[in-house]
Amino acid sequence: MFASSLPMPARLVGEPPAVSPPAEMSLVQLPTGVTHRNAAFAYRGGSFCDKRDFSMTALLVKHPQGDLLIDTGFGRNIEAQIRAMPLFFRAVTSYQRARSAAEQLDAAGYDRKALRAIILTHAHWDHASGLPDFTDTPVWVTKEERSFIEDGGWLTSLIRSFPNVRYVEYEFEGAAYLGFPRSHDVYGDGAIVIVPAPGHTPGSVVVFLTLRNGKRYAMIGDLAWQREGISNRAERPWLQRMLGDWDRGQVRDSLLRMAAIEQRFPEIAIAPAHDARGFEGIPMT
Ligand SMILES: [Zn+2]
Ligand SMILES: [Zn+2]
């Protein structure tokens, strides 16, 4: 369909497992700022004239068995954190901060005791920046991502610098899920299912959410930076793949798995962490 599209994946077969999300489950989006980019930066075939602000959005999942925060977006200390990043990175990154996730939750009177864990889609700076604002909350990561935090070079230097993060590793003990080979059903009710989607980083994940009203979301982290990455089956441009992706072949495999899901279940809202369109309809605080 586009010159830059990857080949069409095989059609996904089978139905998603039955789910029984609790009626009390709900979502709150917490936009924490933007970086100023353009579509040519985001995916192959994108235009330099197509300005795209990359949103930095954390998502609060309220669930009676304990709330979860998916990524943190920009934290309270984002300015100082960016000043500590490599010069070349600062040279190509202009950003605008908004209130951090912690500031938004505190202002809304949110009881932090309800927050059971933070799930990182992956450990890059723009997803983990807010971890120091939640020192009492465990951070769930895969074994692969935990290792990447230790040896990921400048890409994980920020998260590595945070003292006293309480990491909890989890595994994918569950069955295949919508074409992904393994899964982790967080509360056993099918409402929050995490699958391994490696490539961008070794332990990157996709988090599937299903609400009682049947609305479904896939939080895909940075598997694609904008929705066209999935809908056009368009990888990141060469330079961005070289600089930012850990294993480009695995990104491709994971991306095509999501493309097959989109083709078969177009009603699932695919939400790249940096594309505000994926979060449309989710209320803010
Ligand atoms: Zn990333
Ligand atoms: Zn990112």
Side-chain angles (χ1 to χ4, degrees):
M1 77 194 229
F2 296 92
S4 49
S5 294
L6 295 168
M8 183 75 91
R11 186 172 163 76
L12 191 62
V13 293
E15 293 298 321
V19 292
S20 50
E24 303 88 344
M25 181 177 166
S26 63
L27 308 178
V28 178
Q29 62 162 310
L30 304 161
T32 65
V34 296
T35 52
H36 305 297
R37 307 284 193 197
N38 58 58
F41 182 91
Y43 57 92
R44 290 185 66 202
S47 164
F48 284 99
C49 304
D50 185 352
K51 300 292 178 207
R52 298 282 176 103
D53 276 350
F54 278 23
S55 54
M56 303 286 151
T57 305
L59 185 73
L60 179 69
V61 184
K62 293 185 176 180
H63 189 289
Q65 293 188 56
D67 297 351
L68 300 170
L69 188 66
I70 302 176
D71 290 340
T72 70
F74 289 164
R76 274 199 177 98
N77 298 319
I78 186 65
E79 286 93 352
Q81 291 171 354
I82 287 191
R83 278 199 300 274
M85 299 294 268
L87 182 61
F88 84 91
F89 173 83
R90 281 180 285 143
V92 296
T93 300
S94 86
Y95 71 99
Q96 191 174 0
R97 67 165 294 174
R99 286 189 307 166
S100 68
E103 288 165 334
Q104 292 179 51
L105 292 174
D106 290 348
Y110 177 75
D111 179 3
R112 295 234 199 155
K113 287 200 283 295
L115 190 59
R116 181 156 169 185
I118 295 171
I119 299 174
L120 292 179
T121 61
H122 64 296
H124 282 164
W125 67 282
D126 46 331
H127 302 256
S129 159
L131 288 186
D133 306 340
F134 294 92
T135 46
D136 295 331
T137 309
V139 177
W140 292 356
V141 288
T142 59
K143 177 160 57 67
E144 293 79 4
E145 201 67 358
R146 182 78 186 86
S147 303
F148 184 61
I149 290 169
E150 298 308 322
D151 60 21
W154 76 272
L155 285 167
T156 52
S157 61
L158 179 66
I159 189 169
R160 205 162 46 241
S161 74
F162 298 153
N164 307 324
V165 179
R166 270 200 293 145
Y167 292 108
V168 175
E169 292 181 13
Y170 62 92
E171 295 186 1
F172 299 105
E173 72 294 330
Y177 186 91
L178 295 180
F180 285 92
R182 293 175 295 147
S183 64
H184 175 63
D185 183 341
V186 172
Y187 292 133
D189 56 9
I192 308 166
V193 177
I194 312 175
V195 300
H200 182 56
T201 66
S204 286
V205 298
V206 168
V207 185
F208 289 94
L209 304 168
T210 307
L211 299 177
R212 181 68 158 255
N213 64 9
K215 184 76 188 157
R216 294 159 74 190
Y217 296 87
M219 315 307 298
I220 68 168
D222 284 2
L223 178 55
W225 279 333
Q226 296 282 286
R227 280 204 309 215
E228 288 87 346
I230 304 299
S231 56
N232 297 5
R233 301 189 308 282
E235 300 173 282
R236 267 179 275 279
W238 179 83
L239 184 63
Q240 283 77 353
R241 291 204 302 276
M242 295 300 289
L243 289 174
D245 286 339
W246 169 73
D247 183 320
R248 296 174 288 283
Q250 287 196 8
V251 173
R252 197 172 286 188
D253 293 344
S254 298
L255 193 144
L256 288 174
R257 286 196 169 109
M258 275 316 304
I261 290 172
E262 185 186 53
Q263 187 191 20
R264 173 80 192 281
F265 301 107
E267 67 276 19
I268 298 180
I270 294 179
H274 302 314
D275 191 334
R277 295 170 296 178
F279 294 79
E280 264 167 23
I282 299 177
M284 301 184 195
T285 56

